[in-house]
Each structure stands twice: as C-alpha cells, then as structure tokens.
C-alpha cells in the first residue's frame, strides 16, 4: 500500500513514537468539510443529591463533578457520550455473536455486579437475560435510565476506592472499558476477588488505545497513528494507563489477585467497514459509528486538561481524524481482550506464577533469550 492510503499523511513522516505538537494539525489543510463542533448537553437524575449532579463543564461538555468524589474521570457524562457508549455496546455484542460475557456462567446465579456501568445498557441486557439474578450496576455519575428491569438497580460507587460490598457476595463481577480510569489494577482485581463468592467469576473486557494496521495502510504520523501515541503519553502523565491490553496489565492483575483458570480471548476490531468478510464489515461500521458519534468526547478531557491542547487544536485534529477514519483504504483496527478468572472454591487466592530470574550476563555473554511469542488473534480478514 502506498502512503496515500493513510489519508492526509504528514510529509515527511515523523520518526516512530513521535507525538506531533497540537499546533501541527491547525497548520494542515483539509480537502473537505468536517464537523468538529462540540455539543452542549446535560444529564439529570432527580432522585440523587445535588452535589452529585453538579457536573463540571469543559468546552461546553459536562463531566463528572470532582466535588462529589475525589475521582477525575476522563469521558463526558452527557447525551453525546452515552449515545456513543450504547452504539459501541451494540458493536461488542456483534463481536461476541450476541453474547454479553465469555465466562462459563450458570443460569441460577444469585447476584451479579457491573463495575463502571456507564449508560447501564450492558447491565439492563444482562438483567433481562438473567431474570432470577439480582444485578447491581455502579458508576460515579447517575446517567442511567429510570425504566429498568425489576431485578436491576444502579448505585453511585467509585471503583477506585474501597468497595462497600460484603465479602463473598457476588456470583459474577463484570468490568468493561475502564482503561485510563484505574491507577491500581492489582488493587481493583483484589477488590473484585474479595466480593466474589468462592467458585464465582470475574470478567474484564478492555480495548487497546493504539490503532494499527497489518498491511502498512495506517502510516506513521497520520491522525489515527497519533491517537494511540497521545493516549499512552497522557496515561503516564495522568497516572492511569490507557494501553492496558498491549502492556498485559489486566492479565497480570488477575494473576496477582489470586484467580484460577484465568482465560483470555482476543479480537481485532476493524475501525470502519473495510473488511470483505460480512460480519467484520458490520462490526467495523458500528465501530466507526460509535467513535464518530462523539470523537470530541473521547479525547476532550485528556487532550485539553492533561496534554494542554486548546479547543481549536482539538477541533482541527478531530476533523483530520474523522476524515481518515472514514477512509476504507486504511485497514485500521484496535486489539481487544476479554479476561476472566475463577475464585477458588476454598476462597483463598492462589499464588501468582513466579517469573524466573534470568541468568546474570556479562558484556561478553550472549543476551538473555527472548520470551516465547504469544499466539496472535485472528486477523480482521479482508
């Protein structure tokens, strides 16, 4: 593939791992108009205290109020954001062939917990599927609907603090898309281990922030390439990692928490409808729709509050990014990974696997052997 496939690729291409300055995107021209406006919507829930509903406003978008808790969450909690979440939820059900989970759950579960429930769509669907199971969805913002299944309730809870749930209380704990929100992943999984019943399961589903292609069509320095680089650097500054998939952070946290039968499953999600395979094409179309519905919301807090970009610089970059995302000549994807583990029947954590200490080397000795390669996930076939 030639470099033109990247869509408005900067020339010359920067060195690998380079983050382009914000002003760079303002200097670039676009061949077509792109909507980079920022919405201005609010959510409200009358049954909750006023302090929780005092949302912050950043460039016209509402975010969780840091007056309610000490947490700083990086995506908006307004209508544009929840619409994007709901579209991505539908996309993920297509990825999983209509299933909401991968853990081998039983039909007669007593209680289930959804951490970081967001718009609540996953919890609603899960409660509808398991009508005899009591389901709780937690989040830091009360943006969930009031019309919900009778076996479901939503609660305000900050997952980064000490959980208020009893020990050995849930048959299943579910977490999804918490990247960039957790500073202590081992601590999070230890909390989940504590509240799970012996023999119960905890499941996490995360996506990489790095957009890739296997054929070189996503070129170095293009808007999609920069997306992941900025997120990774922002995660270092923010103290909450974004690329928890490629850095194997979640898997390591499951091991450290003491789960057994830890199982992983990976999938490459296309970023638009470029695949020829019918299922992958549909997944890619919904992936694009979910991102495109609120591209500004995905980056606004991180780009402005952490990386120091101006509203104009963000808007212009989003216009470039939106244009490239719609280019089916760019065969981009993000790697996603589901991880689930079982709490041992005796309720005691199993020791994490010991990593062998490599032999000492000298300047004259050969380098230590590289670790064995892992099995690659199935490619998003053209």
């Amino acid at each position: 593939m030639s470099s033109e496939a990247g869509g408005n690729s900067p020339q010359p291409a920067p060195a690998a791992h380079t983050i382009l300055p914000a002003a760079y995107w303002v200097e670039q021209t676009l061949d077509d108009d792109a909507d980079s406006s920022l919405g201005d919507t609010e959510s409200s829930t009358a049954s909750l205290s006023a302090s929780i509903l005092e949302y912050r406003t950043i460039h016209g978008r509402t975010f969780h109020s840091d007056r309610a808790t000490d947490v700083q969450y990086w995506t908006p909690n307004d209508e544009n954001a929840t619409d994007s979440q709901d579209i991505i939820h539908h996309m993920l059900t297509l990825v999983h062939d209509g299933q909401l989970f991968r853990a081998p759950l039983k039909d007669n579960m007593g209680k289930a917990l959804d951490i970081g429930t967001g718009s609540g769509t996953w919890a609603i669907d899960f409660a509808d599927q398991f009508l005899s199971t009591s389901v709780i969805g937690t989040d830091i913002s009360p943006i969930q609907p009031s019309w919900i299944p009778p076996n479901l309730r939503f609660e305000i809870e900050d997952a980064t603090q000490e959980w208020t749930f009893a020990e050995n209380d849930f048959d299943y704990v579910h977490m999804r898309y918490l990247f960039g929100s957790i500073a202590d992943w081992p601590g999070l999984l230890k909390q989940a281990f504590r509240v799970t019943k012996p023999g119960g399961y905890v499941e996490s589903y995360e996506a990489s922030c790095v957009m890739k292609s296997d054929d070189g069509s996503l070129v170095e320095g293009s808007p999609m390439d920069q997306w992941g680089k900025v997120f990774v650097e922002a995660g270092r500054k923010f103290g909450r990692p974004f690329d928890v998939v490629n850095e194997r952070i979640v898997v390591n946290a499951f091991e450290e928490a003491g789960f057994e039968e830890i199982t992983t499953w990976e999938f490459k999600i296309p970023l638009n409808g470029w695949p020829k395979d019918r299922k992958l094409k549909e997944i890619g179309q919904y992936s694009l729709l979910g991102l495109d519905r609120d591209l500004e919301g995905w980056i606004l807090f991180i780009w402005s509050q952490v990386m120091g970009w101006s509203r104009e610089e963000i808007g212009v970059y989003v216009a470039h990014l939106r244009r490239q995302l719609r280019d089916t000549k760019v065969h981009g994807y993000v790697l996603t990974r589901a991880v689930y583990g079982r709490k041992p029947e005796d309720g005691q954590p199993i020791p994490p696997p010991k990593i062998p200490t490599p032999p000492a080397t000298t300047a004259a000795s050969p380098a230590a052997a590289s670790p064995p390669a892992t099995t690659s996930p199935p490619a998003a076939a053209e």
Side-chain angles (χ1 to χ4, degrees):
M1 281 271 183
S2 65
S3 62
E4 285 78 11
N8 270 14
S9 304
Q11 297 294 333
H17 310 303
T18 298
I19 297 178
L20 297 171
Y24 170 88
W25 300 105
V26 179
E27 297 169 358
Q28 305 305 302
T29 58
L30 285 169
D31 296 333
D32 56 350
D33 293 330
D35 179 16
S36 60
S37 60
L38 299 176
D40 185 8
T41 55
E42 293 187 3
S43 302
S44 63
T45 301
S47 62
L48 296 170
S49 68
S51 64
I52 294 175
L53 295 173
E54 290 177 355
Y55 298 144
R56 288 178 295 167
T57 300
I58 300 174
H59 294 317
R61 300 298 298 276
T62 60
F63 290 76
H64 170 76
S65 174
D66 51 10
R67 283 192 246 178
T69 67
D70 293 332
V71 71
Q72 287 210 0
Y73 190 59
W74 59 278
T75 59
N77 57 9
D78 55 23
E79 185 177 350
N80 283 6
T82 55
D83 285 350
S84 176
Q85 290 178 26
D86 289 344
I87 295 168
I88 290 175
H89 168 73
H90 177 71
M91 179 268 293
L92 292 175
T93 61
L94 295 176
V95 168
H96 294 285
D97 297 318
Q99 297 299 310
L100 297 170
F101 52 88
R102 304 201 71 86
L105 304 182
K106 298 178 181 178
D107 293 333
N108 60 345
M109 292 182 296
K111 297 180 69 175
L113 176 64
D114 183 29
I115 296 294
T117 194
S119 66
T121 308
W122 182 92
I124 291 170
D125 288 351
F126 187 86
D128 278 334
Q129 182 175 341
F130 294 90
L131 291 174
S132 63
T133 301
S134 175
V135 183
I136 298 175
T138 69
D139 205 275
I140 55 174
S141 288
I143 59 174
Q144 301 79 33
S146 56
W147 289 87
I148 58 177
N151 57 321
L152 169 65
R153 75 175 187 269
F154 294 116
E155 298 181 359
I156 298 296
E157 176 107 350
D158 179 5
T160 65
Q161 304 298 316
E162 187 73 21
W163 293 11
T164 59
F165 303 107
E167 187 174 352
N168 302 326
D169 199 23
F170 294 94
D171 298 275
Y172 177 58
V173 177
H174 173 265
M175 298 177 281
R176 188 169 77 181
Y177 276 29
L178 298 182
F179 53 84
S181 305
I182 307 300
D184 181 10
W185 278 92
L188 180 79
L189 268 298
K190 288 175 183 177
Q191 294 261 36
F193 185 96
R194 180 183 65 81
V195 304
T196 303
K197 294 179 181 179
Y201 286 89
V202 173
E203 183 164 5
S204 169
Y205 192 92
E206 296 293 333
S208 171
C209 65
V210 178
M211 297 179 178
K212 297 181 177 181
S213 68
D214 290 333
D215 59 3
S217 58
L218 199 167
V219 300
E220 193 77 38
S222 66
M224 291 169 66
D225 168 73
Q226 288 291 295
W227 171 278
K229 289 181 171 62
V230 177
F231 265 121
V232 169
E233 177 60 24
R236 295 192 185 102
K237 293 184 176 182
F238 198 39
R240 299 170 177 87
F242 277 91
D243 197 10
V244 298
V245 172
N246 289 319
E247 296 177 14
R248 207 175 179 270
I249 291 174
V250 180
V251 177
N252 292 340
F254 267 85
E255 293 174 348
E256 187 172 334
F259 290 94
E260 64 182 4
E261 300 177 12
I262 298 172
T263 304
T264 62
W265 180 89
E266 295 180 348
F267 190 88
K268 294 178 179 179
I269 295 181
L271 291 171
N272 62 33
W274 64 262
K276 294 181 179 178
D277 178 87
R278 183 175 178 179
K279 174 186 174 181
L280 293 174
K281 179 181 289 292
E282 184 179 13
I283 290 171
Q285 289 168 338
Y286 276 105
S287 175
L288 174 61
L289 182 63
L291 282 172
D292 195 56
R293 180 67 180 88
D294 194 24
L295 274 177
E296 295 86 1
W298 281 94
I299 71 172
L300 183 58
F301 180 88
I302 295 299
W303 261 239
S304 66
Q305 305 302 298
V306 179
M307 300 300 288
W309 290 33
S310 70
R311 180 177 184 176
E312 178 191 11
E313 290 165 340
I314 292 171
V316 174
Y317 167 76
V318 165
H320 286 280
L321 176 63
R322 180 173 280 118
R323 184 176 187 274
Q324 189 184 24
L325 281 169
R326 292 173 176 172
D327 185 356
T328 56
K329 295 177 183 176
V330 181
H331 300 162
Y333 68 86
V334 292
L335 181 63
T336 63
R337 178 181 296 134
V339 185
Y340 63 84
R342 182 174 180 267
K343 184 172 182 175
E345 290 287 355
D346 62 6
Q348 299 302 310
I350 62 172
K354 292 184 178 180
I355 301 175
T357 303
T361 59
T362 63
S365 64
S370 300
T374 57
T375 303
S376 299
E382 295 185 41

